[in-house]
Amino acid sequence: MTDVARVVVVDDDRAIRWVLERALAQPDLEVEILERADHALERLLEAPPDVLVTDIRMPGIDGLDLMAKLREVHPELPVIVMTAHSDLDSAVASYQGGAFEYLPKPFDVDEALALVRRAVAHARERRRPVSVPEGLDAEIIGEAPAMQEVFRAIGRLSHSHITVLINGASGTGKERVARALHQHSPRAGKPFIALNMAAIPKDLIESELFGHAKGAFTGATAQRQGRFEQADGGTLFLDEIGDMPAETQTRLLRVLADGEFYRVGGHASVKVDVRIIAATHQNLETLVEDGRFREDLFHRLNVIRVHLPKLAERREDIPRLARHFLAEAAKELATDVKVLTPEAEAHLTRLPWPGNVRQLENTCRWLTVMASGREVLIEDLPQELREPGATVGNTGDWRTAFRDWADRALAAGHTRLLEEAVPDVERMLIETALKHTGGRKGEAAELLGWGRNTLTRKLKALLPALAAGE
């Protein structure tokens, strides 16, 4: 039997109280309706509800003050703030005060009920401790065959000072691999210095790399070390090496050959011992053929090459990466760790991720800030990741996407594919049918070609939260 959750509604508008009292009259909800916050405050402090739904503007103390006073004593209490004055200041003040969600009036009754259920689930989830999976402090995560090749390369190079060239699309994590190569090398105790060629104006690149002497140019009021000197004894990571200007390529080649250079405007040579790790998303061979990259420098850099796969080529890593990034974001933002529901995790795994690992990391940071509850549902995702077309890449053909998924899963060693795929397919079809019928289960069953009893049974097995709302 489902536990009954206590929900308190505070609003001076009689019509709103009447609507919510009836909308929330559900078997799993116990509803208490109050007219004034100041009259209810003492009782709510002593016996807090599972969820509070409050208007902002009321006689006596307003809803934001009520929320603040209650959350001082009961900081875990989820509060849904309602207001007919749905302006920016009200929304910002609500969230800054710790509101679970902001509900502008007039609202859809079904939306309000769904939001209360989300808040109840959130309150119960908060009472359960979250265990962060072990091993998430590793610098790189990957179980996919393509990532295992990267790990093997890092292992083989762990006793070497040799130059490495990392190839991979933007956002695949080239700097993380470069750091891992450094941390697992004899130079681990020395500096790791990173410089992105594409992010520096061309006229400043040589000064950034090699430093400058005092008076070398206007504004050079003191001698300055460049990145080569800062990395002496350690590793210099040159990201987007394909964007390096031609004249800088010439100077870099000399440094790699001689191990020494001159600061900009300087007359004394500087000797350094630096390991170079370069990276690019471009095809350097093509740049060489086009005359945009020196062939001799390319051969100097291309001693050992490591290729990083796109995220879509290592889908089996997406759930673990997402958990890692959610844990990192929670630590960075000093908040609770968000947890993906199985449906949301499966949805993320199917997306094309054109921005690769960086896009997934940014999505997890976004969810940590924007998702209301501790559990992340598909509807919590950014709009562009929720749209149906987002799951099939550019083909628009779900059959092709599904065949590709099966091919990748089998190649990764998965078995019992039907047991994995059929529940997900049925779950998506049920959700879509219910969306088209406005939640009317009898009509949804007809759309799917099932009897009502079959849909009820499937709902209980696949979507228990929806089944509970019957």
Side-chain angles (χ1 to χ4, degrees):
M1 182 177 175
T2 305
D3 292 336
V4 175
R6 179 167 164 252
V7 181
V8 171
V9 177
V10 184
D11 198 314
D12 63 327
D13 186 324
R14 180 182 300 174
I16 294 293
R17 295 198 305 272
W18 185 89
V19 167
L20 284 177
E21 185 173 19
R22 279 148 186 80
L24 300 178
Q26 304 290 326
D28 57 335
L29 300 177
E30 176 191 311
V31 186
E32 185 177 352
I33 306 295
L34 303 172
E35 183 177 351
R36 290 177 62 109
D38 48 1
H39 294 169
L41 177 59
E42 187 175 344
R43 186 150 54 92
L44 292 177
L45 284 171
E46 292 178 0
D50 292 289
V51 176
L52 172 66
V53 183
T54 180
D55 190 24
I56 289 185
R57 301 189 183 184
M58 295 180 289
I61 65 173
D62 66 20
L64 296 181
D65 286 337
L66 173 64
M67 176 170 64
K69 292 177 186 299
L70 283 173
R71 285 178 61 84
E72 280 180 12
V73 182
H74 306 289
E76 305 296 317
L77 173 65
V79 180
I80 298 170
V81 173
M82 303 180 294
T83 180
H85 308 277
S86 50
D87 53 37
L88 177 61
D89 289 342
S90 298
V92 170
S94 299
Y95 286 121
Q96 286 183 338
F100 173 78
E101 194 55 273
Y102 173 78
L103 187 63
K105 299 176 184 177
F107 50 79
D108 180 83
V109 172
D110 290 337
E111 179 188 351
L113 175 58
L115 190 54
V116 168
R117 290 194 188 283
R118 288 283 311 278
V120 169
H122 172 75
R124 288 173 176 163
E125 189 70 26
R126 288 288 289 266
R127 290 195 281 267
R128 292 203 299 265
V130 171
S131 58
V132 178
E134 294 181 6
L136 292 187
D137 57 345
E139 61 269 27
I140 317 173
I141 290 170
E143 297 175 0
M147 286 306 294
Q148 293 302 310
E149 286 300 315
V150 175
F151 295 165
R152 288 189 190 98
I154 294 172
R156 292 188 187 109
L157 294 168
S158 61
H159 300 294
S160 173
H161 300 268
I162 201 165
T163 301
V164 178
L165 177 63
I166 304 172
N167 269 118
S170 294
T172 48
K174 295 186 288 294
E175 183 170 342
R176 286 177 182 259
V177 171
R179 287 185 181 277
L181 284 164
H182 171 74
Q183 289 165 6
H184 296 278
S185 79
R187 297 172 179 261
K190 297 293 184 177
F192 174 88
I193 304 294
L195 188 64
N196 189 321
M197 296 292 103
I200 302 171
K202 290 185 177 181
D203 55 346
L204 294 180
I205 282 183
E206 292 205 7
S207 175
E208 280 290 327
L209 280 171
F210 309 114
H212 58 249
K214 181 179 179 180
F217 49 81
T218 303
T221 56
Q223 178 176 290
R224 178 180 178 276
Q225 281 192 343
R227 302 304 174 95
F228 263 98
E229 282 182 86
Q230 293 170 13
D232 190 21
T235 301
L236 178 60
F237 173 54
L238 301 177
D239 199 4
E240 298 304 348
I241 192 77
D243 290 315
M244 180 177 278
E247 57 272 20
T248 310
Q249 292 178 32
T250 302
R251 288 202 65 182
L252 177 60
L253 183 64
R254 291 198 191 110
V255 177
L256 294 178
D258 304 334
E260 61 181 21
F261 60 89
Y262 291 88
R263 299 187 187 95
V264 175
H267 303 289
S269 68
V270 180
K271 292 189 75 69
V272 289
D273 171 24
V274 172
R275 181 195 195 183
I276 297 293
I277 298 177
T280 181
H281 73 281
Q282 302 179 70
N283 187 317
L284 287 186
E285 286 93 336
T286 301
L287 294 183
V288 169
E289 290 173 7
D290 294 344
R292 290 183 289 155
F293 200 85
R294 290 187 62 123
E295 183 174 6
D296 44 5
L297 178 58
F298 167 69
H299 290 303
R300 278 274 182 181
L301 296 173
N302 191 37
V303 181
I304 299 290
R305 187 180 298 209
V306 175
H307 175 72
L308 286 189
K310 295 179 180 178
L311 187 56
E313 296 168 355
R314 45 181 296 219
R315 292 183 183 277
E316 54 266 65
D317 291 337
I318 290 174
R320 191 157 181 257
L321 282 166
R323 291 193 291 271
H324 171 63
F325 291 138
L326 287 170
E328 276 194 339
K331 184 176 179 181
E332 173 191 335
L333 300 169
T335 187
D336 291 332
V337 180
K338 302 288 183 179
V339 179
L340 295 168
T341 62
E343 295 79 16
E345 192 173 273
H347 182 81
L348 292 180
T349 304
R350 291 189 293 266
L351 294 176
W353 296 112
N356 295 298
V357 176
R358 185 183 298 125
Q359 184 187 5
L360 176 61
E361 181 177 11
N362 290 338
T363 298
C364 291
R365 187 174 284 110
W366 187 94
L367 288 169
T368 299
V369 174
M370 300 299 291
S372 301
R374 194 163 78 171
E375 274 199 327
V376 176
L377 309 180
I378 291 177
E379 47 265 41
D380 291 321
L381 298 175
Q383 180 64 37
E384 66 273 14
L385 299 185
R386 279 185 277 140
E387 294 171 356
T391 62
V392 296
N394 296 323
T395 66
D397 180 2
W398 68 269
R399 294 174 181 83
T400 300
F402 189 69
R403 187 177 289 109
D404 289 345
W405 168 82
D407 189 45
R408 284 192 302 271
L410 291 172
H414 288 214
T415 59
R416 309 174 77 89
L417 244 56
L418 282 174
E419 290 182 13
E420 183 178 346
V422 170
D424 280 345
V425 171
E426 290 185 342
R427 190 180 292 112
M428 287 186 286
L429 288 172
I430 291 169
E431 288 173 334
T432 305
L434 287 170
K435 177 182 175 184
H436 278 267
T437 64
R440 293 182 291 276
K441 297 180 177 64
E443 294 177 26
E446 288 182 21
L447 290 178
L448 294 168
W450 285 341
R452 173 67 185 251
N453 290 342
T454 301
L455 178 59
T456 300
R457 177 168 51 81
K458 296 281 188 181
L459 274 171
K460 288 178 179 176
L462 301 172
L463 294 160
L466 281 176
E470 287 191 311

